[in-house]
RNA sequence: GUGGGUGUAGCUCAGUUGGUCAGAGUGCCUGGUUGUGGCCCAGGAGGUCGAGGGUUCAAGUCCCUUCACUCACCCCA
């Protein structure tokens, strides 16, 4: 029979890796709880219209990366390519703002985009999303970024760079957009092919082109900062002040732009050197018009998405804080001892001790090997002699020392394990 | 969607101009030690050389097709 493999870009996360995922998630949840961020769980499937309206018709995501299909009910559905639109949909649908317009929400789960896979990029990938809704104060921008940097540090990752920018709001951005298009049109012949195309689709993206002649042009181009309105400028200034107050290192990157249409004002990105070309670990920003755009009241919001897969891949394998080894292995010889050990093994487990044993009925040597392979901290050796005397040998696998223990005193064994 | 790289044992990979080229290391099993792991030594199992076609007396090696993986562009987390 031919083997059936997983779908391209969809991968299995194997038991050797899951402890990292669980460990990081646990740390992140603790941080969220300190900041009063509560979990919301949302569906993986949404009506296609949600993303068209939320992310923007003309974006690459909506144009060519979504898993969309016609459902039997004759309705177009889409595997979500991002979470913010869904969170806002739920916030509106359940009238969460009626009870309290201020909401701090997070959600964790898989997203789907049909791109060509490469290092750090999969068709099913995982994001940790945070949305702070109902507050426009620049302190909320700073607090969100502060929390983000805290939780990345707690996950054991450093060497990160926080870059921020302001994209302006609905009133000042169109003017800037027009300015930049005019500026670039005059120099169109010096732009690369990609950028000439971008001029029509998404002119702001030309800002992060790597082509040298494009960069030269960009260097002289007008910057968002020079065009944003008074309020946006003041907001951005305050955000920087508060970031400094909270001692968060950052750099202003006036060329940073975002690929989703809903972003306004503050935009930010956390990047690293260690991921190859896909160097963004987190991207986020303010989206003051999104709630209204999705049919809700005029409520502002700001949020970010952490690329969970990328985050995990940055944790060095030497980081031992995520490994989880058995406390004890019971090596039992002979039917009587095996029987006794089977019972003891499960008693220890119920008492919270991570216990392993082996039913193959092989010799002590191979059971010791298995204990070693499983990286058990200790081995309890119970042979026929020990069964008769009621005294087993508790061996420390790192230094090879052994001590006698009373096999009928499970509590005594547990205490000894928990002490060392 | 576009371009490059790679597919040989469970894993990581050698394999020269076509001619003992079916290999190493590691992992696994057994033994050296009849009740003591790791280190060492010996032995063993394990592969339609990604798949299909072609050239040739002869193909892991050359040609064509195809699939998969991978990196980069694009884009993004």
């Amino acid at each position: 029979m031919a083997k059936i493999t997983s779908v391209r870009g969809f991968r299995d996360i194997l038991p050797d890796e899951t402890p990292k995922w669980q460990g990081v998630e646990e740390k992140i949840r603790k941080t969220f709880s300190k900041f009063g961020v509560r979990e919301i769980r949302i569906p993986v499937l949404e009506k296609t219209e949600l993303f068209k309206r939320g992310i923007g018709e003309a974006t690459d995501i909506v144009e060519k990366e979504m898993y969309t299909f016609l459902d039997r009910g004759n309705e177009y559905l889409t595997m979500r390519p991002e979470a913010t639109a869904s969170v806002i949909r739920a916030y509106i649908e359940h009238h969460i703002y009626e009870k309290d317009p201020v909401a701090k929400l997070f959600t964790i789960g898989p997203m789907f985009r049909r791109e060509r896979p490469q290092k750090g990029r999969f068709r099913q990938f995982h994001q940790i999303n945070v949305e702070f809704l109902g507050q426009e104060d620049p302190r909320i921008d700073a607090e969100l970024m502060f929390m983000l940097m805290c939780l990345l540090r707690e996950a054991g990752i450093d060497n990160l760079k926080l870059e921020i920018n302001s994209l302006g709001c609905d009133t000042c951005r169109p003017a800037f957009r027009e300015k930049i298009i005019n500026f670039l049109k005059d120099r169109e012949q010096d732009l690369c092919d990609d950028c000439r195309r971008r001029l029509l689709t998404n002119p702001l993206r030309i800002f992060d082109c790597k082509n040298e002649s494009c960069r030269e042009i960009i260097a002289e181009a007008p910057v968002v900062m020079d065009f944003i309105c008074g309020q946006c400028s003041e907001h951005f200034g305050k955000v920087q002040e508060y970031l400094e107050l909270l001692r968060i290192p950052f750099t202003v990157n006036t060329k940073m732009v975002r690929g989703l249409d809903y972003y306004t004002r503050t935009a930010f990105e956390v990047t690293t050197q260690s991921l190859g070309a896909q160097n963004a670990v987190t991207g986020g920003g303010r989206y003051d018009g999104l709630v209204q755009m999705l049919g809700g009241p005029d409520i502002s919001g700001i949020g970010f998405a952490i690329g969970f897969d990328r985050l995990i891949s940055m944790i060095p394998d030497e980081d031992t804080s995520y490994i989880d080894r058995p406390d004890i292995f019971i090596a039992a010889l002979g039917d009587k001892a095996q029987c006794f050990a089977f019972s003891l093994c499960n008693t220890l487990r119920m008492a919270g001790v991570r216990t392993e044993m082996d039913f193959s009925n092989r010799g002590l040597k191979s059971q010791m090997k298995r204990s070693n392979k499983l990286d058990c901290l200790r081995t309890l050796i119970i042979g026929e002699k020990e069964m008769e005397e009621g005294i087993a040998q508790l061996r420390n696998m790192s230094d090879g020392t052994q001590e006698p223990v009373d096999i009928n005193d499970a509590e005594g064994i547990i205490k000894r394990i928990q002490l060392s």
Side-chain angles (χ1 to χ4, degrees):
Chain A
M1 279 289 254
K3 249 192 275 184
I4 299 174
T5 60
S6 61
V7 176
R8 163 180 294 198
F10 289 64
R11 60 174 182 152
D12 303 307
I13 296 163
L14 301 174
D16 281 347
E17 311 168 67
T18 47
K20 268 187 192 176
W21 287 75
Q22 292 166 348
V24 170
E25 189 173 324
E26 203 178 309
K27 287 176 185 176
I28 283 174
R29 282 174 183 275
K30 274 190 190 146
T31 304
F32 285 157
S33 138
K34 289 183 215 168
F35 284 83
V37 185
R38 298 161 75 209
E39 182 172 14
I40 181 168
R41 299 196 183 191
I42 47 176
V44 163
L45 208 58
E46 295 275 3
K47 294 178 182 170
T48 303
E49 183 60 21
L50 174 66
F51 302 115
K52 284 193 177 173
R53 232 200 288 169
I55 300 170
E57 293 266 6
T59 57
D60 278 24
I61 294 178
V62 173
E63 261 180 7
K64 50 192 188 199
E65 295 173 2
M66 296 203 303
Y67 283 98
T68 295
F69 62 93
L70 188 60
D71 187 45
R72 288 171 201 240
N74 223 28
E75 163 174 63
Y76 281 101
L77 302 180
T78 295
M79 306 281 286
R80 62 176 183 201
E82 64 112 36
T84 301
S86 299
V87 172
I88 303 303
R89 194 223 77 232
Y91 176 78
I92 296 167
E93 187 167 338
H94 301 283
H95 303 97
I96 293 175
Y97 55 84
E98 296 283 12
K99 221 193 305 177
D100 183 355
V102 176
K104 294 176 172 181
L105 304 169
F106 79 90
T107 194
I108 297 179
M111 307 295 155
F112 307 86
R113 290 183 201 169
R114 203 184 179 293
E115 300 176 87
R116 191 81 168 255
Q118 71 183 74
K119 191 181 175 70
R121 195 175 73 184
F122 310 96
R123 289 180 172 184
Q124 175 179 332
F125 59 102
H126 302 80
Q127 285 190 341
I128 301 158
N129 272 259
V130 176
E131 320 293 345
F132 283 6
L133 296 159
Q135 284 174 288
E136 242 179 303
D137 193 291
R139 274 176 292 187
I140 212 74
D141 301 44
E143 182 177 301
L144 183 81
M145 286 184 258
F146 176 75
M147 181 181 76
L148 169 62
M149 297 316 279
C150 280
L151 61 85
L152 291 175
R153 200 182 52 227
E154 275 184 27
I157 292 156
D158 36 28
N159 254 317
L160 295 168
K161 209 166 100 185
L162 172 66
E163 292 182 306
I164 67 169
N165 192 18
S166 178
L167 302 177
C169 62
D170 278 353
T171 57
C172 50
R173 188 148 50 161
F176 170 68
R177 200 185 144 97
E178 205 172 306
K179 276 266 161 27
I180 196 80
I181 291 174
N182 286 335
F183 172 85
L184 291 168
K185 266 202 176 137
D186 293 341
R187 297 156 181 81
E188 195 174 341
Q189 60 273 41
D190 296 324
L191 291 171
C192 68
D193 292 347
D194 278 336
C195 285
R196 264 191 292 247
R197 183 178 51 76
R198 287 181 182 124
L199 202 47
L200 303 168
T201 58
N202 193 347
L204 294 184
R205 282 235 79 90
I206 298 177
F207 275 97
D208 47 22
C209 182
K210 280 135 201 152
N211 183 290
E212 202 168 319
S213 78
C214 295
R215 295 191 75 105
E216 279 171 29
I217 294 169
I218 288 303
E220 295 159 25
V223 194
V224 209
M225 221 54 64
D226 303 334
F227 287 85
I228 59 176
C229 64
Q231 279 141 339
C232 285
S233 168
E234 191 190 331
H235 184 92
F236 192 51
K238 287 265 173 61
V239 169
Q240 294 179 61
E241 276 176 39
Y242 291 131
L243 283 174
E244 278 160 18
L245 181 70
L246 296 176
R247 298 171 197 280
I248 301 296
F250 67 93
T251 54
V252 173
N253 177 356
T254 55
K255 290 182 287 181
M256 185 183 65
V257 285
R258 310 260 71 222
L260 287 73
D261 280 357
Y262 54 63
Y263 287 114
T264 55
R265 292 195 166 176
T266 314
F268 58 96
E269 210 168 84
V270 179
T271 55
T272 170
Q273 313 303 327
S274 59
L275 284 180
Q278 306 303 315
N279 63 354
V281 189
T282 304
R286 187 162 270 289
Y287 42 82
D288 291 337
L290 183 61
V291 179
Q292 205 164 32
M293 210 151 48
L294 293 176
D298 183 11
I299 289 177
S300 64
I302 182 168
F304 61 74
I306 300 174
F308 207 162
D309 308 69
R310 292 181 186 176
L311 185 66
I312 296 296
S313 72
M314 290 175 65
I315 296 171
D317 288 335
E318 309 88 72
D319 192 334
T320 52
S321 56
Y322 295 100
I323 62 166
D324 180 22
R325 39 203 296 222
D327 296 304
I328 189 165
F329 183 93
I330 305 178
L333 300 160
D335 292 343
K336 262 175 84 180
Q338 275 272 327
C339 191
F340 178 84
F342 182 50
S343 169
L344 177 62
C345 175
N346 288 296
T347 301
L348 292 178
R349 286 169 176 162
M350 293 317 285
V353 179
R354 285 208 44 200
T355 312
E356 294 290 338
M357 71 173 284
D358 170 86
F359 302 134
S360 68
N361 228 342
R362 290 193 290 186
L364 179 59
K365 179 179 177 142
S366 77
Q367 293 196 48
M368 292 292 293
K369 274 192 172 174
R370 179 140 186 91
S371 173
N372 190 60
K373 186 183 166 182
L374 294 173
D375 204 19
C376 300
L377 295 164
R378 310 169 189 77
T379 303
L380 184 68
I381 300 165
I382 310 174
E384 277 156 28
K385 192 175 74 191
E386 285 80 0
M387 280 304 288
E388 275 168 32
E389 292 170 358
I391 303 290
Q393 293 298 320
L394 182 61
R395 181 180 182 89
N396 180 320
M397 295 300 279
S398 53
D399 60 19
T401 57
Q402 288 185 188
E403 54 178 336
V405 293
D406 182 349
I407 58 171
N408 295 306
D409 179 16
E411 277 184 28
I413 295 173
I414 292 162
K415 273 195 190 121
R416 205 169 298 212
I417 290 167
Q418 283 164 347
L419 280 177
S420 55

